[in-house]
């Protein structure tokens, strides 16, 4: 748009030359040709944009009246280099030297060319600065988006570490309660029951029975709490990520883990975690892969686990003592699931396991 405005101004500067030289067929035709070439140049590709300006300069050399309107051509040639704009002033200078045009009109044409060159250089400088500003803005925006993505990754990693620490602490508390308080209550219950046997038929037996009932109730509550803590510690996504990261750490094998599941019953979470651990371990022992991808997706009716590597290794030989595949299949089928392991479509080794939700598990 800036160039079009500049060319309109340049054509306006040519009006005094037209007034001094007078209108006629040649001058009118030259003006129309100048306008056509000026705005045709804005429609052409960058490489051929100066062609209309060059053609008009040739026309101005043949038609003296055309030398009055070379300012738009000078504007286009100045975009190539300021020196090229002298080609637009050459027809006017030639017409003045040969006396083919009015000196005043020729001077106005040369002045219009000078103004057009100044406008062209100013516009090019402005557009170049604007382009650089937009480029810098795009670079800053790209860096901003990269920083936001990195910040999200750090926050997700922080949440993951916090969640993992929380689950580990819950599991530790459950073990402590089971191993210490649970055993003490069990021992106390056995002791009270023994005292009841010793004091059978005595008045104290009823009191001992009440104490035994209280201990049994407390023991049941402890068991319930331990199971709840253990189930809360069975965060499927955290367990699978932790298993894969620990297995691949320091091995030179890159891993990618895509988990679209969070929680699952303890039995299912333990099964899928064990399958992921064994499958990744097999990749390390029996494959020359350098990349392993683990995908765990929770569907409305089932959980699906896929482990794929890019190696050329084969499955472990169960006849030689390798029971990994058989163990994984037994675990999955015990929960009513489906298990498959074999060479993938694009090479490598693929382990697939799916386990239905308990309410939809087949009989």
């Amino acid at each position: 748009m800036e160039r079009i405005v500049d060319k309109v101004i340049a054509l306006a500067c040519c009006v005094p030359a037209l007034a001094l030289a007078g209108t006629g067929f040649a001058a009118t035709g030259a003006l129309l040709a100048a306008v056509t070439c000026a705005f045709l140049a804005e429609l052409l590709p960058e490489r051929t944009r100066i062609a209309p300006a060059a053609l008009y300069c040739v026309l101005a050399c043949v038609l003296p009246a055309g030398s009055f309107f070379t300012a738009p051509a000078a504007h286009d040639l100045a975009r190539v280099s300021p020196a090229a704009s002298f080609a637009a002033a050459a027809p006017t200078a030639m017409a003045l030297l040969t006396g083919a045009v009015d000196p005043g009109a020729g001077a106005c044409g040369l002045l219009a060319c000078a103004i057009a060159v100044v406008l062209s250089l100013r516009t090019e400088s402005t557009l170049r600065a604007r382009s650089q500003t937009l480029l810098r803005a795009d670079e800053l925006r790209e860096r901003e988006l990269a920083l936001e993505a990195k910040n999200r990754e750090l926050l997700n990693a922080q949440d993951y570490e916090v969640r993992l620490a929380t689950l580990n602490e819950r599991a530790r508390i459950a073990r402590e309660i089971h191993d210490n308080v649970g055993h003490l209550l069990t021992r106390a219950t056995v002791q009270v029951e023994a005292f009841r046997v010793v004091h059978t038929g005595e008045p104290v037996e009823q009191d001992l029975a009440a104490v035994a009932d209280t201990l049994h109730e407390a023991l049941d509550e402890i068991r319930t709490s331990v199971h709840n803590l253990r189930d809360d510690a069975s965060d499927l996504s955290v367990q699978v990520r932790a298993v894969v990261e620990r297995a691949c750490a320091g091995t030179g094998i890159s891993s990618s883990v895509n988990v679209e599941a969070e929680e699952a019953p303890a039995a299912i979470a333990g099964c899928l975690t064990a399958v992921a651990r064994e499958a990744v371990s097999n990749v390390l022992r029996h494959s020359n892969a350098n990349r392993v991808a683990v995908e765990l997706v929770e569907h409305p009716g089932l959980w699906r686990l896929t482990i794929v590597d890019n190696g050329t290794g084969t499955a472990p030989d169960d006849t030689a003592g390798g029971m990994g595949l058989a163990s994984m299949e037994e675990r999955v089928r015990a929960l009513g699931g489906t298990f498959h392991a074999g060479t993938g479509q694009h090479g490598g080794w693929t382990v697939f396991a799916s386990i239905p939700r308990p309410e939809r598990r087949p009989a």
Side-chain angles (χ1 to χ4, degrees):
M1 185 65 187
E2 289 86 348
R3 297 190 183 100
I4 294 177
V5 173
D6 289 349
K7 290 181 179 181
V8 170
I9 294 174
L11 287 171
C13 294
C14 297
V15 172
L18 184 63
L20 292 174
T23 58
F25 178 78
T28 303
L31 176 60
L32 293 177
V35 172
T36 301
C37 292
F39 294 102
L40 179 62
E42 301 302 323
L43 302 177
L44 296 176
E46 185 69 27
R47 295 180 179 179
T48 59
R49 189 164 289 173
I50 65 171
L55 290 175
Y56 185 81
C57 290
V58 173
L59 174 65
C61 291
V62 177
L63 185 65
S67 62
F68 302 146
F69 311 109
T70 56
H75 185 282
D76 287 332
L77 293 174
R79 292 170 59 181
V80 179
S81 70
S85 60
F86 288 106
T92 305
M94 185 183 303
L96 285 173
L97 292 176
T98 59
V101 296
D102 181 76
C108 290
L110 292 176
L111 179 60
C113 287
I115 294 174
V117 171
V118 172
L119 291 176
S120 178
L121 296 177
R122 185 206 62 177
T123 299
E124 288 301 313
S125 176
T126 301
L127 293 178
R128 194 179 304 110
R130 184 184 302 171
S131 177
Q132 293 177 352
T133 301
L134 292 176
L135 180 61
R136 296 290 183 272
D138 290 341
E139 292 177 353
L140 290 175
R141 180 57 180 168
E142 184 178 356
R143 292 180 181 179
E144 181 182 356
L145 293 176
L147 288 175
E148 290 179 357
K150 183 63 70 175
N151 189 39
R152 284 195 299 270
E153 291 178 2
L154 292 175
L155 291 176
N156 291 335
Q158 182 181 5
D159 293 341
Y160 167 74
E161 294 295 335
V162 171
R163 180 62 175 164
L164 181 60
T166 302
L167 295 177
N168 290 335
E169 183 64 16
R170 287 182 178 178
R172 187 192 66 80
I173 293 173
R175 288 194 302 269
E176 292 292 334
I177 295 175
H178 179 271
D179 296 341
N180 297 323
V181 181
H183 289 174
L184 291 174
L185 287 176
T186 301
R187 188 174 67 180
T189 302
V190 172
Q191 290 173 345
V192 171
E193 292 293 346
F195 287 142
R196 285 183 62 188
V197 173
V198 172
H199 297 283
T200 301
E202 297 180 9
V204 74
E205 181 186 0
Q206 294 182 354
D207 296 332
L208 291 173
V211 173
D213 292 339
T214 302
L215 289 174
H216 281 298
E217 184 179 353
L219 192 57
D220 292 338
E221 291 293 334
I222 288 294
R223 289 195 183 100
T224 302
S225 298
V226 168
H227 284 297
N228 289 338
L229 284 173
R230 187 189 66 180
D231 292 343
D232 288 342
S234 300
D235 190 309
L236 189 55
S237 62
V238 173
Q239 288 187 4
V240 172
R241 289 181 185 276
V243 163
V244 177
E245 289 178 0
R246 282 197 295 265
C248 296
T251 62
I253 295 180
S254 63
S255 62
S256 63
V257 183
N258 177 29
V259 179
E260 298 179 10
E262 294 183 357
E263 298 181 355
I268 295 176
C271 174
L272 292 175
T273 303
V275 171
R277 182 187 298 108
E278 182 65 25
V280 175
S281 178
N282 284 342
V283 172
L284 300 179
R285 293 198 303 264
H286 305 288
S287 173
N288 59 352
N290 58 16
R291 185 174 66 256
V292 60
V294 179
E295 183 182 42
L296 175 60
V297 181
E298 180 180 0
H299 295 285
L302 55 85
W303 287 271
R304 174 176 58 82
L305 175 65
T306 308
I307 300 97
V308 181
D309 66 69
N310 66 338
T312 58
T314 58
D317 186 1
D318 288 351
T319 62
M323 298 298 294
L325 292 179
S327 175
M328 287 188 285
E329 185 172 3
E330 289 175 3
R331 283 176 176 271
V332 174
R333 295 195 184 279
L335 295 173
T338 302
F339 179 84
H340 175 74
T343 305
Q345 296 180 353
H346 304 287
W349 190 258
T350 299
V351 173
F352 172 85
S354 66
I355 300 178
R357 291 186 177 275
E359 63 272 17
R360 299 185 182 182
R361 190 182 305 162

